[in-house]
Amino acid sequence: MNLAPYGSTVTAPAAEPSPIIAISGLQKWYDRFHALKDIDLDVQRGERIVICGPSGSGKSTLIRCINSLELYQGGRIVVDGFDLGDGEKSIDAVRGEVGMVFQQFNLFPHLTVKENCMLAPMRVRGIARNRAAELAMTYLERVRIAEQAEKYPAELSGGQQQRVAIARALCMNPKVMLFDEPTSALDPEMVKEVLDTMVGLAEDGMTMLCVTHEMGFARSVADRVIFMDRGEIIESDRPGPFFANPKNPRTQAFLGQLLHH
Amino acid sequence: MIRQFGLSEILSILAGVQSTVMLSLVAFAGGGIVGLAIALMRTSERSWLQRIAGSYIDFFQGTPLLMQLFLVFYGLPVFGYKVGPWTAVSIGLTLHASAFLGEIWRGSIQAVPKGQTEAAKALGLSYFNRMRDVVLPQAMRISIAPTVSFLVQLIKGTSLAAIVGFVELSRSAQMIASTTYKPLLAYGFAAIVYFIICFPLSRFSMNLEKRFQVKT
């Protein structure tokens, strides 16, 4: 779908690469509440997906299932060949390859910005301290916050903290990045710096799943926009048609509300 | 013969301080190690571990320290372990301290925001690293004040060890009181010594608490 430059002139069909994330028949309940209803979703390598929908629609729950922060009761999630249903070992493997950025940043307040970035590479990858420090500085520079490396998270603004959180995840060299409403807790003037960082990531070819209400970001960056409501995927399309003529009335209603305030 | 309350009496009471301090340290160290295990069990994701730790805490919080010391002192011989007063009160106070410290630290661990654990999990950190590098350092700061105030309780609680024949500060004061017939003087002196040990600790915890508040 995003191979447009090659168009239809390709003679032999290129072998379809296996999706990096394959979700099929996913079911999730919170007690009686059916949070995810039979979700099927494949994410290709390098694909950028934006998931939107009203609160309580299950969009955060869905991406939290991918790195096993939420357990699920039915269906299957396979990330880069590791089936989450195979137990601890494969959950650890998946978490090592999937980075996550949270709404509330969740930086470790007792560690400096640099130490926040060094912890997982040292403990999970077994990288030596000085090498981990270099790695941390590389990614802190990439999110343009290297000069704050020795500060504690509480000394930074929300936007800066969120960029550190992105750098921290990148230090693990993830194959996929999950964003759970990364700009929802930010003051409006800080949203842009975080979105710019995310756009930069997308341009570098990172596979991304973003739960966000930033429709401008969806329009310019996403390969695919997914609309969820009441635990179901209602609509999934390229941003052009998704915003221009959404097919489902629920999508239309949601987009209508977003645009009219 | 009634003895005078003089320097040698003061020194005999002070000799008991050593035992009080030693016993407090042993109980605090032992209680700390077992208590950490109890706190981790109580906050574990496995419900059977939670239940075991919960019952343990309930038992020690629901019975007087004196009964716990008696149970160890008279109970262990029943199982064939002949123990002296030192061992008995060390074990008794360790168990007691572990339950209370376990409960204090459970609360501190749970007071660390859930997002911290989630972020650590998302980074792929193991349970051990999540606890050691992320949760416990934060929980420790929260727990300093209640932990030190429990230590003060524990130091004062060692006075109960006198009842099973262990000679520490209270017991030596009691002996001097009965040989000099000056109970007010003997116990008053012992009380001052307890205060001299405990008061700086309380102050220390208040200072630490303030310092950590500034830092985070």
Side-chain angles (χ1 to χ4, degrees):
Chain A
M1 153 205 341
N2 53 351
L3 300 176
Y6 302 101
S8 52
T9 59
V10 179
T11 47
E16 182 68 16
S18 63
I20 189 153
I21 299 173
I23 301 173
S24 53
L26 187 67
Q27 305 280 356
K28 160 98 189 158
W29 282 271
Y30 291 106
D31 294 321
R32 291 282 170 77
F33 180 68
H34 202 174
L36 294 176
K37 301 169 186 164
D38 197 23
I39 300 285
D40 294 309
L41 175 66
D42 281 357
V43 181
Q44 304 302 327
R45 283 165 210 273
E47 196 175 13
R48 285 138 347 206
I49 295 179
V50 164
I51 304 173
C52 59
S55 64
S57 60
K59 53 199 194 304
S60 284
T61 306
L62 173 61
I63 67 164
R64 287 164 57 87
C65 281
I66 294 172
N67 63 355
S68 206
L69 289 184
E70 300 284 350
L71 301 174
Y72 52 92
Q73 283 76 38
R76 208 164 164 234
I77 300 179
V78 180
V79 182
D80 201 28
F82 296 103
D83 190 328
L84 283 180
D86 287 348
E88 299 273 320
K89 278 260 160 58
S90 90
I91 289 173
D92 288 344
V94 167
R95 284 176 177 167
E97 294 191 4
V98 177
M100 188 165 202
V101 174
F102 299 87
Q103 184 177 353
Q104 299 295 339
F105 329 134
N106 296 347
L107 292 178
F108 305 134
H110 60 299
L111 300 177
T112 63
V113 162
K114 189 159 85 178
E115 288 166 343
N116 263 276
C117 296
M118 290 163 63
L119 184 62
M122 286 167 61
R123 299 288 188 255
V124 181
R125 300 269 195 252
I127 293 174
R129 172 167 278 275
N130 55 353
R131 184 68 200 88
E134 285 170 23
L135 191 67
M137 292 313 295
T138 308
Y139 286 106
L140 287 171
E141 266 158 36
R142 176 149 166 200
V143 300
R144 278 177 262 108
I145 203 157
E147 71 282 2
Q148 315 279 9
E150 305 301 332
K151 287 193 179 168
Y152 285 90
E155 302 172 78
L156 271 54
S157 74
Q160 291 174 322
Q161 289 192 49
Q162 193 61 299
R163 283 188 283 144
V164 172
I166 293 172
R168 177 175 72 175
L170 290 177
C171 281
M172 288 295 282
N173 195 18
K175 293 182 178 166
V176 180
M177 285 283 285
L178 307 174
F179 292 85
D180 190 0
E181 303 204 27
T183 57
S184 301
L186 295 175
D187 292 334
E189 70 270 23
M190 293 169 186
V191 169
K192 188 176 178 301
E193 63 183 74
V194 171
L195 288 180
D196 285 347
T197 308
M198 291 168 65
V199 169
L201 265 184
E203 283 165 354
D204 291 345
M206 177 64 76
T207 308
M208 296 165 69
L209 265 94
C210 313
V211 171
T212 181
H213 294 120
E214 295 295 332
M215 290 303 124
F217 175 80
R219 220 183 272 272
S220 62
V221 170
D223 297 309
R224 197 159 28 131
V225 184
I226 288 173
F227 172 70
M228 286 183 72
D229 191 17
R230 293 175 222 163
E232 291 170 291
I233 292 182
I234 302 295
E235 192 150 348
S236 167
D237 209 337
R238 282 173 293 119
F242 181 89
F243 291 110
N245 40 28
K247 295 175 199 74
N248 192 288
R250 278 196 260 174
T251 319
Q252 292 162 3
F254 177 75
L255 289 177
Q257 278 164 1
L258 271 193
L259 301 175
H260 291 123
H261 70 75
Chain B
M1 192 191 86
I2 301 172
R3 286 164 56 182
Q4 290 302 305
F5 194 91
L7 185 63
S8 75
E9 280 66 34
I10 288 180
L11 289 176
S12 346
I13 293 178
L14 282 178
V17 173
Q18 200 191 351
S19 302
T20 293
V21 171
M22 279 299 289
L23 187 58
S24 304
L25 287 178
V26 166
F28 188 67
I33 294 166
V34 182
L36 181 61
I38 294 294
L40 292 176
M41 283 167 73
R42 200 79 176 87
T43 53
S44 121
E45 287 172 5
R46 289 172 226 280
S47 60
W48 62 276
L49 282 177
Q50 288 178 22
R51 275 200 300 277
I52 292 173
S55 313
Y56 183 89
I57 291 168
D58 287 343
F59 173 78
F60 285 99
Q61 288 199 333
T63 54
L65 174 56
L66 186 57
M67 295 306 129
Q68 293 160 16
L69 293 179
F70 279 155
L71 282 179
V72 174
F73 188 65
Y74 296 112
L76 283 181
V78 173
F79 296 100
Y81 300 102
K82 261 286 187 212
V83 290
W86 221 125
T87 319
V89 294
S90 301
I91 295 175
L93 281 168
T94 293
L95 294 176
H96 176 80
S98 69
F100 278 82
L101 289 174
E103 182 65 359
I104 289 170
W105 294 344
R106 174 207 52 83
S108 311
I109 289 171
Q110 287 175 345
V112 176
K114 209 162 158 261
Q116 294 288 307
T117 300
E118 289 186 351
K121 280 183 177 176
L123 285 166
L125 292 169
S126 65
Y127 174 79
F128 176 80
N129 287 126
R130 290 202 299 271
M131 281 297 162
R132 192 191 65 179
D133 298 323
V134 176
V135 178
L136 292 181
Q138 297 182 56
M140 213 175 74
R141 289 178 191 186
I142 301 169
S143 74
I144 283 176
T147 301
V148 176
S149 84
F150 175 74
L151 175 59
V152 170
Q153 294 288 328
L154 189 65
I155 292 169
K156 292 185 285 186
T158 57
S159 62
L160 285 174
I163 291 174
V164 296
F166 182 76
V167 182
E168 37 63 75
L169 183 52
S170 302
R171 179 79 181 130
S172 48
Q174 193 185 9
M175 291 188 301
I176 295 302
S178 57
T179 53
T180 59
Y181 283 93
K182 294 225 165 42
L184 193 59
L185 211 53
Y187 290 129
F189 182 68
I192 289 170
V193 175
Y194 275 115
F195 183 80
I196 291 171
I197 301 172
C198 294
F199 181 69
L201 275 175
S202 307
R203 267 299 153 89
F204 173 68
S205 97
M206 278 166 61
N207 286 345
L208 273 184
E209 213 181 346
K210 265 188 213 143
R211 219 179 74 197
F212 280 130
Q213 269 174 358
V214 175
K215 196 168 174 193
T216 45

